[in-house]
Amino acid sequence: MRGSGPHSGRVSRRFKLSHPRDKLPSMDGLRDLAVSQDAVFTIDDARAFGLTEKEIRVRRERDWLCLYDGVYIVAGAPRTPRAMIRAACLAGAPNAVASHRSAAALHGLPGGRQDIAEVTFPRWMRTAQSGLVVHESKCIEPSDVQEIDGISVTRPERALIELASIYKSADFIELVLQILRDAGLGRVVPQLVVREASGKFVARADIGLPDLRVTVEYDSDQEHTNPITIANDNDRRNAVIRAGWFPFVARRRDLRDEGRHLIAAIRALCSQPA
């Protein structure tokens, strides 16, 4: 799938060498590449720019942070959502493509999530990297994929279909909305944007109850299966709390009793003294 060497095939495709390989100013070239792609690069990029194994070892210990096996970010650089999605695609290169909620986030579509890295592979070609939400597809054609700033991502029309598979059905979404509306909890706003007091963006919640400063997220069984995903979810939840909101999660099992436990939990929290 990747050739014979470890991490083979993950040299960034859109950056062309501007010097003869034997005269390349190695760190300058690698630094320029990192600047062009959210400070993210691969171990193969470093080798392609002429760094020796000794130089790589020193840089790994001092200047680089490992995001996935063979994929790094410059120490101190912000781990932006775009950087993390780019890293996920590089971790699964050459077959990975950003999809589902990651694709929706890159396209600015409702239902996108910036706190998880979600990728799709052709059938039987998936990576074994931890920290990714991974899907397989029997049919993913070149026409299904486009590039956004050098990141391979499924096109908007396919991303919407992928979102439907994540959230299972519109019936589930409508059921959550209807339960919250029937509970008399005030305004119910789909895709509510949470901001800090300064106006800085914090998160986009699946549902917001602005009168109670409560957010509700849909959840699926596959999201919380590895430490990186759990940490990202926790970071997002903590940021929402710091902004003065109370985050809740709605799972399918929470709706088997017509949402009574979910509603009771929201009411119990909101009845507590400030």
Side-chain angles (χ1 to χ4, degrees):
M1 179 177 74
R2 297 180 185 164
S4 58
H7 316 304
S8 173
R10 285 189 288 181
V11 176
S12 300
R13 291 168 292 174
R14 71 189 187 94
F15 193 92
K16 293 181 170 51
L17 300 182
S18 57
H19 304 268
R21 189 175 297 273
D22 59 345
K23 298 181 181 179
L24 186 70
S26 57
M27 281 310 303
D28 287 345
L30 184 60
R31 188 179 301 111
D32 290 345
L33 171 63
V35 167
S36 74
Q37 51 185 39
D38 306 303
V40 175
F41 59 95
T42 71
I43 200 75
D44 288 333
D45 289 329
R47 290 170 179 149
F49 279 99
L51 271 70
T52 66
E53 294 304 313
K54 180 179 180 180
E55 288 173 321
I56 289 173
R57 185 171 61 253
V58 170
R59 298 286 178 177
R60 287 169 64 178
E61 294 174 353
R62 188 183 67 188
D63 299 328
W64 304 343
L65 295 177
C66 183
L67 298 177
Y68 301 103
D69 183 24
V71 181
Y72 294 83
I73 190 168
V74 177
R79 300 190 197 187
T80 64
R82 187 180 296 265
M84 298 308 293
I85 294 173
R86 185 187 301 277
C89 289
L90 287 173
N95 301 300
V97 54
S99 63
H100 297 72
R101 287 157 293 190
S102 289
L106 288 171
H107 289 299
L109 298 173
R113 292 276 299 273
Q114 296 187 331
D115 56 316
I116 58 176
E118 197 160 14
V119 294
T120 290
F121 290 81
R123 189 75 179 272
W124 312 121
M125 302 179 73
R126 65 188 294 167
T127 184
Q129 295 273 8
S130 65
L132 301 179
V133 179
V134 176
H135 304 270
E136 288 186 348
S137 175
K138 294 180 181 178
C139 182
I140 182 166
E141 302 291 340
S143 58
D144 294 326
V145 180
Q146 69 179 89
E147 283 201 357
I148 297 179
D149 290 342
I151 302 172
S152 295
V153 54
T154 54
R155 292 186 178 276
E157 54 272 24
R158 177 170 176 128
L160 289 172
I161 296 172
E162 293 166 343
L163 286 178
S165 71
I166 286 293
Y167 294 126
K168 305 303 181 184
S169 69
D171 292 341
F172 174 58
I173 299 173
E174 287 301 321
L175 179 58
V176 177
L177 287 169
Q178 194 59 52
I179 285 173
L180 293 172
R181 287 168 179 152
D182 291 346
L185 298 174
R187 290 173 294 161
V188 179
V189 181
Q191 293 295 309
L192 180 134
V193 173
V194 176
R195 299 185 184 276
E196 295 178 353
S198 64
K200 180 181 178 182
F201 176 86
V202 174
R204 183 185 297 274
D206 292 326
I207 300 176
L209 306 176
D211 297 329
L212 302 178
R213 296 189 70 80
V214 163
T215 65
V216 180
E217 299 281 359
Y218 312 128
D219 203 2
S220 64
D221 295 336
Q222 64 182 324
E223 289 186 29
H224 306 285
T225 56
N226 60 74
I228 292 179
T229 298
I230 292 172
N232 288 339
D233 282 349
N234 289 340
D235 289 346
R236 184 175 188 268
R237 187 174 297 110
N238 290 339
V240 169
I241 293 171
R242 284 196 300 271
W245 291 74
F246 303 102
F248 284 82
V249 173
R251 300 180 178 89
R252 281 190 171 270
R253 62 177 177 267
D254 295 323
L255 305 183
R256 292 171 186 166
D257 62 351
E258 298 181 348
R260 285 192 292 269
H261 284 84
L262 175 63
I263 298 303
I266 293 174
R267 284 179 171 154
L269 175 66
C270 295
S271 66
Q272 294 178 2

